[in-house]
């Protein structure tokens, strides 16, 4: 019997090969070969065995999600976390013991299990980290919600998330109270304070074993975006994404992460906070936590706890260097700072450079990272870092990138700006309940559109130079012009609105707005600003509002943001709102 190529299955071939003679099996499957039935049966059994034993992202394993427990087994007495607000120091045994007690309460008292969603509104507190680590053991999905949003924005996110319960810190209690009917429908638990729900969780005895076998493909987090194209989207983040990011950061660190003492400044309501905490714990390092950012307290924590690395947005660097304590604070332990969230100016890095502290930019996207590019500082001098400050460096070891023409999708030449696209094993699993937006973001071949304009420089490295859309990046937060315009148009006297970004020394950009009004109505910029205060988060509100007779339009009849911005800049020479 002759078998050409692989047109038939092995079962088919073994069934018809009973009368054949023993013959050589040619490795080139495009040639016609004679296969002996015994060989076919052995090959079929081998392939069937492999099909059942192959490790895939869908295979449940005990270690997945158990960040604290696995590290406890490896380095039990290494320092794991410092709570700077309360001067508490926990090793991995203590941290995992506390986490196991929280997990037992979640399972036994709250009745939560794999796939359930819990919302989290909190600063960067130890209790919030313990809650997330406990959820990881059980397969519970954590959905952080920013307290910087307006209450109605947060309530809308909670309605979409439909969580089984809501955990919050005491500082967010007033914010939670303003969530209205959405708050009333969700059981709520407080994380901090001597009589808090979290304190009662820790009174339970430590369970011997607790955890669920989880697959890397299971969802770990649901993280909302900054609303780059309007209302925030909800990104589904798998355990695979977080594990691979930890691997990326571990591989990129010249000396690993075991000696890292990381001050966590990126908020836990963004992916950046979790992508700081989890990789450091994965590598056996120590995270230093402060509930909120305060420049004086941050400087004090660096000196007191020997912080050797931190990540920050540009506004944080500016606040730290402007603080009276900056010049006298001992920063000798600080071996490096990584900026993220938006491009950082050299002027904001300069005070640290002057003190011999390396600063470099990184880049990541929640949907494709969250870490994608890093500036490897190994062997680089302060002078070389200063000269290369605008670069975000190179892609991580396991991350591919292309810079393409946004229309054709063809790769552009070095030195030519184009859209940055990314491919890696740590892409997200799509937007929650938004297949259309997911399809627009995720392309064939595993590529993810960033929506950012970037250029590969002839001297090496990549520079992110702007946004492809109308997003205003203010202090690391994305402000969608369309969302702000929609809010302005809700004002009863406003007929039209146009929003654009103006340069700002501290925040990078801040929104500015032009509005038109109904004839015969009287509105003032201050009145509109007051009206917006309860409707939008503070970082989204325009710092300049101008009432105009008509909004500039393009030839196609669309709002002409460039014309408005150019005119406004001409009228504000040297002024940066």
């Amino acid at each position: 019997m002759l078998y050409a190529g692989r047109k038939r299955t092995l079962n088919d071939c073994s069934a018809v090969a009973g009368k054949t003679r023993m013959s050589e099996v040619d490795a080139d499957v495009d040639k016609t070969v004679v296969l002996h039935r015994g060989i076919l049966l052995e090959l079929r059994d081998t392939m069937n065995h492999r099909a059942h034993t192959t490790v895939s992202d869908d295979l449940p394993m005990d270690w997945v999600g158990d960040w604290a427990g696995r590290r406890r087994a490896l380095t039990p007495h290494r320092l794991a976390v410092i709570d700077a607000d309360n001067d508490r120091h926990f090793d991995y045994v203590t941290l995992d013991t506390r986490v196991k007690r929280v997990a037992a309460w979640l399972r036994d008292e709250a009745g939560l299990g794999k796939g359930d969603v819990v919302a989290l509104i909190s600063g960067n507190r130890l209790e919030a980290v313990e809650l997330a680590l406990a959820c990881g053991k059980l397969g519970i999905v954590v959905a952080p919600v920013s307290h910087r949003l307006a209450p109605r924005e947060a309530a809308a996110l909670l309605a979409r998330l439909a969580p089984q319960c809501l955990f919050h810190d005491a500082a967010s209690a007033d914010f939670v109270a303003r969530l209205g009917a959405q708050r009333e429908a969700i059981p709520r638990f407080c994380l901090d304070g001597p009589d808090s729900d979290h304190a009662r969780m820790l009174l339970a005895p430590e369970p011997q074993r607790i955890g669920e076998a989880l697959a890397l493909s299971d969802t770990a987090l649901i993280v909302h975006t900054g609303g780059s194209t309007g209302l925030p989207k909800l990104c589904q983040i798998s355990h695979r994404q977080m594990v691979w990011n930890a691997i990326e950061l571990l591989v990129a660190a010249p000396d690993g992460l075991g000696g890292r003492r990381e001050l966590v400044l990126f908020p836990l309501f963004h992916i950046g906070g979790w992508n700081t905490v989890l990789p450091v714990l994965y590598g056996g390092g120590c995270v230093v936590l402060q509930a909120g950012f305060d420049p004086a307290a941050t400087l004090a924590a660096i000196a007191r706890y020997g912080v050797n690395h931190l990540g920050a947005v540009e506004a944080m660097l500016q606040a730290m260097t402007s603080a009276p304590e900056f010049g006298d604070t001992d920063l000798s332990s600080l071996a490096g700072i990584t900026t993220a969230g938006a491009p950082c100016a050299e002027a904001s890095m300069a005070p640290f450079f002057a003190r011999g502290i390396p600063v470099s930019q990184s880049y990541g996207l929640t949907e494709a990272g969250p870490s994608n590019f890093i500036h490897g500082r190994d062997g680089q001098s302060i002078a070389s870092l200063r000269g290369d400050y605008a670069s975000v460096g190179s892609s991580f070891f396991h991350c591919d990138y292309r810079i393409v023409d946004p229309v054709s999708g063809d790769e552009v030449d070095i030195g030519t700006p184009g859209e940055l696209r990314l491919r890696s094993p740590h892409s997200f699993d799509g937007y929650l309940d938004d297949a259309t937006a997911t399809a627009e973001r995720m392309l064939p071949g595993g590529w993810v559109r960033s929506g950012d304009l970037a250029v590969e420089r002839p001297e090496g490295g990549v520079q992110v130079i702007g946004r492809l859309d109308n997003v205003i990046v203010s202090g690391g937060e994305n402000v969608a012009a369309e969302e702000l315009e929609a809010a302005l148009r809700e004002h009863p006297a406003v007929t039209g609105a146009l929003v654009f970004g103006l340069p700002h020394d501290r925040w990078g950009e801040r929104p500015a707005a032009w509005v038109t009004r109904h004839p015969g109505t009287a509105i003032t910029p201050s009145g509109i600003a007051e009206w917006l205060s309860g409707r939008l988060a503070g970082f989204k509100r325009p710092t300049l509002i101008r009432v105009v007779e008509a909004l500039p339009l393009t030839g196609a009849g669309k709002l002409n943001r460039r014309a408005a911005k150019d005119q406004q800049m001409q009228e504000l020479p040297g002024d940066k709102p």
Side-chain angles (χ1 to χ4, degrees), residues 552-568:
L553 302 175
T554 67
K558 297 182 179 181
L559 294 173
N560 193 334
R561 292 183 176 83
R562 180 176 296 276
K565 180 175 180 177
D566 289 347
Q567 181 177 337
Q568 192 66 65

Side-chain angles (χ1 to χ4, degrees), residues 400-421:
D400 296 335
Y401 74 92
R402 289 178 181 171
I403 299 176
V404 305
D405 181 282
V407 177
S408 69
D410 296 331
E411 288 192 68
V412 300
D413 295 333
I414 292 176
T416 301
E419 183 188 17
L420 180 63
R421 295 184 180 178

Side-chain angles (χ1 to χ4, degrees), residues 164-196:
Q164 273 68 38
C165 56
L166 166 63
F167 291 87
H168 65 89
D169 60 3
S172 303
D174 289 342
F175 177 81
V176 171
R178 296 198 301 272
L179 297 180
Q182 191 61 42
R183 170 185 64 89
E184 298 297 334
I186 307 171
R188 303 178 309 282
F189 303 96
C190 187
L191 288 173
D192 57 310
D195 298 320
S196 68

Side-chain angles (χ1 to χ4, degrees), residues 491-497 514-524 528 546-551:
H491 190 288
V494 171
T495 57
W514 286 10
V515 299
T516 54
R517 60 189 175 90
H518 287 289
T521 59
I523 56 174
T524 63
I528 296 174
R546 181 176 177 180
V547 181
V548 297
E549 291 299 319
L551 301 176

Side-chain angles (χ1 to χ4, degrees), residues 226-246:
S228 298
T229 55
L231 293 176
K233 295 183 178 66
L234 293 168
C235 298
Q236 299 175 105
I237 309 297
S238 67
H239 288 281
R240 180 203 72 252
Q241 185 171 356
M242 298 313 296
V243 168
W244 269 105
N245 262 276

Side-chain angles (χ1 to χ4, degrees), residues 25-339:
V25 178
D26 197 318
D28 186 350
V29 297
D30 290 330
K31 296 180 180 179
T32 301
V33 294
V34 178
L35 299 178
H36 188 271
R37 185 173 184 273
I39 295 175
L40 285 167
L41 290 173
E42 182 178 354
L43 183 59
R44 181 195 64 187
D45 292 343
T46 300
M47 293 186 70
N48 285 341
H49 174 72
R50 288 178 179 173
H52 286 89
T53 59
T54 299
V55 176
S56 72
D57 284 357
D58 297 324
L59 179 68
M61 292 179 280
D62 294 337
W63 64 268
V64 176
D66 191 12
W67 300 89
R70 304 305 282 196
R71 180 42 68 181
R72 172 184 182 169
L74 292 171
T75 54
H77 302 298
R78 185 179 288 179
L79 188 61
V81 62
I82 296 174
D83 173 10
D85 293 324
N86 299 286
D87 196 29
R88 294 184 291 179
H89 300 64
F90 295 153
D91 62 13
Y92 279 98
V93 169
T94 306
L95 176 63
D96 187 54
T97 298
R98 291 167 62 93
V99 169
K100 288 171 69 176
R101 287 171 173 161
V102 174
W105 185 92
L106 292 172
R107 181 192 63 188
D108 301 335
E109 300 298 326
L112 299 173
K114 181 180 177 182
D116 288 334
V117 176
V118 298
L120 173 65
I121 302 178
S122 173
N124 287 12
R125 301 193 58 85
L126 168 64
E127 294 85 357
V129 171
E130 290 176 341
L131 173 69
L133 295 174
C135 289
K137 287 179 180 287
L138 300 174
I140 299 169
V141 180
V142 178
V145 175
S146 172
H147 57 272
R148 293 188 64 188
L149 296 172
R152 73 170 187 171
E153 294 173 311
L157 284 179
L158 289 174
R160 293 161 62 192
L161 288 165
Q164 273 68 38
C165 56
L166 166 63
F167 291 87
H168 65 89
D169 60 3
S172 303
D174 289 342
F175 177 81
V176 171
R178 296 198 301 272
L179 297 180
Q182 191 61 42
R183 170 185 64 89
E184 298 297 334
I186 307 171
R188 303 178 309 282
F189 303 96
C190 187
L191 288 173
D192 57 310
D195 298 320
S196 68
D197 297 294
H198 185 273
R200 285 191 288 275
M201 298 176 197
L202 297 178
L203 297 177
E206 178 188 359
Q208 288 298 312
R209 295 178 62 86
I210 187 166
E212 292 287 336
L214 305 176
L216 286 169
S217 58
D218 287 334
T219 302
L221 299 162
I222 300 177
V223 180
H224 66 78
T225 67
S228 298
T229 55
L231 293 176
K233 295 183 178 66
L234 293 168
C235 298
Q236 299 175 105
I237 309 297
S238 67
H239 288 281
R240 180 203 72 252
Q241 185 171 356
M242 298 313 296
V243 168
W244 269 105
N245 262 276
I247 294 170
E248 294 280 41
L249 290 165
L250 189 64
V251 170
D255 301 314
L257 296 174
R260 183 66 63 87
R261 187 161 292 192
E262 180 87 22
L263 180 58
V264 183
L265 298 182
F266 294 129
L268 294 180
F269 56 76
H270 280 331
I271 192 64
W274 299 109
N275 197 44
T276 303
V277 171
L278 295 180
V280 173
L281 297 182
Y282 181 83
C286 172
V287 294
V288 181
L289 298 168
Q290 289 180 309
F293 173 72
D294 174 82
T298 295
L299 291 168
I302 294 170
R304 181 172 186 177
Y305 299 114
V307 170
N308 56 23
H309 188 268
L310 60 87
V313 298
E314 183 178 23
M316 292 176 176
L317 300 187
Q318 293 172 342
M320 291 165 63
T321 56
S322 298
E325 299 84 357
F326 180 74
D328 296 328
T329 300
D330 180 5
L331 302 180
S332 58
S333 65
L334 195 54
I337 296 174
T338 301
T339 72

